[in-house]
């Protein structure tokens, strides 16, 4: 069994729902603690030094980035969306350890300090802000705002961090950690079918679409479902229904994407007209202006303001780095590896925005499905990803 297969099997049961087969790996929970312990164990088993940063991200170093750095860092995240797939995040972390094993086995230890990163709360599934760990690290998320974010139970991030044994007061931009990172490279399962169309197991990212999350709070008046005449109702669900179907039409008009995937209804009773509904809008597209236009139109249809919970501007990855990797990972006939944009957000995008030379590798996903238990990558393609990552590390270090 390869080290990749062994690690993959170790992680498979952690946070897996027996009813859906999907993963529920939310930040600062006991499941998250198990994943962090796993990361530390794998790192220490390879003789790496594990250093947490002020934002709760974990860094495992081979070599000393303070004395001989800055280093090359590879890695991704271990948390998931609700009922997510096995690959989004863990593929990048497991492949990072496996690539180091491959390099060591052929006596090709990196000459430059090599870090393996595990970012905290990438999906923002619990506290709502995507890439919370990397945003805190780079200063893109204000620590006071982060500490006050709440989950669906009303637990603040500060309380969750404290329960997990982390010092919530330490949250904040971490220049000492950032100074160690000369280059960041994240391998990720593809969340689309471009590599299927290109008949290639591995590709290189060009860019990330601008994207964000907005909260819409609509208020009405609670009343009896069986006795309140239609004309007398103040039902916020109706305005929300109009806004949701309008979001689809607006996205089509602007060549963008819009999704309402999470709702909170109060009081949430079958026979009660809601007093309040809250919906979260995820909007993305090739152009920032079009994304902003969709959000404005949806807010107007809902008759309320759209409160921005997170925003990531358009990301163009470092062009020389991207071209170098595409050349190094070509098919051997002189053709470079495919280069593709994505609509998915990543910690790599946040580091890139903070000025770190950054690149991403994608591993083919046969159906393109992601954020779903059906997310998949064939074992042979995962191993091709590990080999590509090892080649990339050799080329960059
Ligand atoms: C992260 O996976 C995102 O794109 O929402
Ligand atoms: Mn994801
Ligand atoms: Mn991811």
């Amino acid at each position: 069994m390869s080290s990749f297969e062994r690690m993959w099997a170790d992680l498979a049961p952690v946070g897996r729902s027996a009813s859906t087969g999907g993963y529920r790996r939310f930040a600062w929970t006991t499941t998250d603690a198990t994943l962090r312990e796993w990361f530390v164990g794998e790192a220490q088993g390879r003789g790496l030094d594990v250093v947490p940063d002020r934002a709760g991200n974990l860094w495992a170093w081979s070599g000393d980035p303070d004395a001989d750095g800055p280093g090359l860092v590879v890695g991704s995240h271990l948390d998931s969306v609700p009922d997510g797939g096995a690959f989004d995040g863990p593929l990048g972390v497991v492949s990072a350890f496996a690539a180091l094993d491959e390099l060591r086995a052929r006596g090709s230890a990196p000459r430059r300090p090599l870090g393996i990163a595990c970012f905290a709360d990438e999906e923002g599934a619990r506290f709502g802000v995507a890439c919370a760990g990397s945003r805190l690290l780079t200063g893109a998320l204000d620590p006071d705002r982060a500490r006050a974010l709440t989950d669906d139970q009303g637990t603040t991030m500060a309380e969750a961090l404290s329960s997990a044994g982390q010092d919530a007061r330490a949250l904040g931009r971490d220049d000492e950690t950032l100074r160690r990172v000369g280059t960041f490279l994240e391998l990720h399962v593809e969340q689309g079918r471009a590599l299927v169309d290109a008949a290639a197991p591995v590709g290189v990212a060009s860019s990330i679409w601008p994207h964000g999350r907005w909260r819409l709070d609509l208020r009405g008046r609670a009343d009896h479902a069986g006795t309140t005449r239609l004309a007398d109702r103040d039902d916020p669900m109706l305005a929300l229904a109009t806004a949701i179907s309008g979001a689809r039409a607006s996205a089509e008009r602007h060549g963008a994407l819009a999704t309402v995937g999470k709702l909170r209804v109060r009081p949430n009773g079958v026979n009660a007209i809601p007093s309040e509904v809250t919906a979260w809008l995820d909007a993305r597209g090739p152009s920032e202006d079009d994304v902003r236009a969709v959000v404005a139109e949806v807010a107007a249809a809902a008759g309320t303001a759209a409160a921005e919970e997170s925003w990531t501007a358009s990301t163009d990855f470092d062009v020389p780095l991207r071209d170098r990797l595409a050349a190094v990972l070509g098919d051997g006939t002189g053709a470079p590896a495919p280069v593709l944009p994505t609509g998915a957000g990543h910690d790599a995008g946040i580091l890139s925005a903070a000025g770190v030379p950054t690149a991403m590798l994608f591993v083919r996903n046969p159906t393109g499905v992601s954020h779903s238990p059906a997310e998949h990558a064939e074992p042979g393609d995962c191993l091709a990803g590990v080999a590509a990552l090892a080649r990339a590390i050799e080329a960059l270090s």
Side-chain angles (χ1 to χ4, degrees):
M1 189 188 265
S2 68
S3 72
F4 180 93
E5 290 164 318
R6 199 258 313 145
M7 288 185 276
W8 202 252
D10 287 348
L11 284 180
V14 183
R16 189 161 189 263
S17 155
S19 56
T20 64
Y23 287 92
R24 299 174 185 175
R25 293 168 167 170
F26 306 135
W28 310 114
T29 57
T30 52
T31 299
D32 191 49
T34 304
L35 294 164
R36 288 166 168 273
E37 276 162 30
W38 172 87
F39 180 88
V40 171
E42 292 296 329
Q44 290 177 342
R46 290 171 174 82
L48 309 182
D49 294 324
V50 180
V51 194
D53 66 21
R54 293 178 55 190
N57 310 301
L58 297 172
W59 305 78
W61 283 101
S62 160
D64 182 349
D66 294 325
D68 307 316
L72 167 65
V73 178
V74 294
S76 189
H77 62 97
L78 293 174
D79 65 305
S80 78
V81 296
D83 286 330
F87 296 81
D88 177 352
L91 185 64
V93 177
V94 170
S95 297
F97 284 123
L100 177 61
D101 294 343
E102 195 167 310
L103 290 170
R104 285 178 170 176
R106 54 175 196 252
S108 175
R111 287 181 301 276
R112 181 180 175 193
L114 178 71
I116 298 183
C118 176
F119 284 99
D121 201 5
E122 192 271 354
E123 300 287 5
R126 184 170 176 195
F127 295 104
V129 176
C131 298
S134 54
R135 283 185 209 270
L136 282 162
L137 165 71
T138 59
L141 173 59
D142 176 69
D144 285 333
R145 181 179 165 221
R147 280 186 280 265
L149 292 168
T150 51
D151 67 10
D152 291 343
Q153 276 64 51
T155 305
T156 63
M157 187 187 275
E159 289 162 349
L161 284 162
S162 302
S163 312
Q166 299 281 322
D167 183 2
R169 289 164 310 178
L171 287 185
R173 181 178 161 99
D174 189 337
D175 286 305
E176 195 183 357
T177 297
L178 283 170
R179 263 197 302 276
R180 298 181 181 131
V181 188
T183 308
F184 179 61
L185 175 59
E186 178 169 3
L187 176 146
H188 205 276
V189 67
E190 193 198 347
Q191 298 167 295
R193 288 173 39 88
L195 292 174
V196 174
D197 295 343
V202 177
V204 180
S206 56
S207 55
I208 299 179
W209 279 4
H211 61 282
R213 300 177 182 187
W214 290 264
R215 197 188 68 248
L216 302 162
D217 293 306
L218 295 89
R219 297 206 167 75
R221 195 185 62 248
D223 212 331
H224 195 291
T227 59
T228 317
R229 286 184 306 186
L230 293 177
D232 292 341
R233 296 179 181 211
D234 180 5
D235 182 350
M237 193 65 91
L238 289 180
L240 180 60
T242 306
I244 291 174
S245 56
R248 170 66 180 244
S250 175
E252 278 169 6
R253 273 197 305 282
H254 290 281
L257 299 173
T259 307
V260 175
K262 179 172 172 175
L263 296 179
R264 187 179 62 208
V265 182
R266 292 204 162 114
N268 210 22
V270 178
N271 52 357
I273 296 161
S275 58
E276 187 181 330
V277 289
T278 298
W280 281 266
L281 171 71
D282 178 307
R284 313 180 186 218
S287 122
E288 294 192 9
D289 287 349
D290 284 313
V291 175
R292 297 276 185 200
V294 169
V295 176
E297 287 172 19
V298 175
T304 185
E308 188 171 293
E309 295 204 333
S310 61
W311 168 251
T312 307
S314 188
T315 305
D316 287 310
F317 288 114
D318 187 277
V319 173
L321 188 56
R322 176 198 82 188
D323 290 348
R324 177 128 183 259
L325 289 173
V328 166
L329 303 178
D331 64 3
T333 68
V339 175
L340 44 136
T342 180
H346 299 285
D347 296 307
I350 306 298
L351 265 63
S352 175
V356 177
T358 297
M360 289 192 75
L361 304 184
F362 290 131
V363 171
R364 176 165 54 192
N365 173 340
T367 61
V369 170
S370 186
H371 285 187
S372 151
E375 180 182 86
H376 186 65
E378 292 297 336
D381 285 353
C382 293
L383 296 182
V386 173
L389 190 57
R391 276 208 305 285
I393 293 169
E394 271 180 328
L396 300 179
S397 62

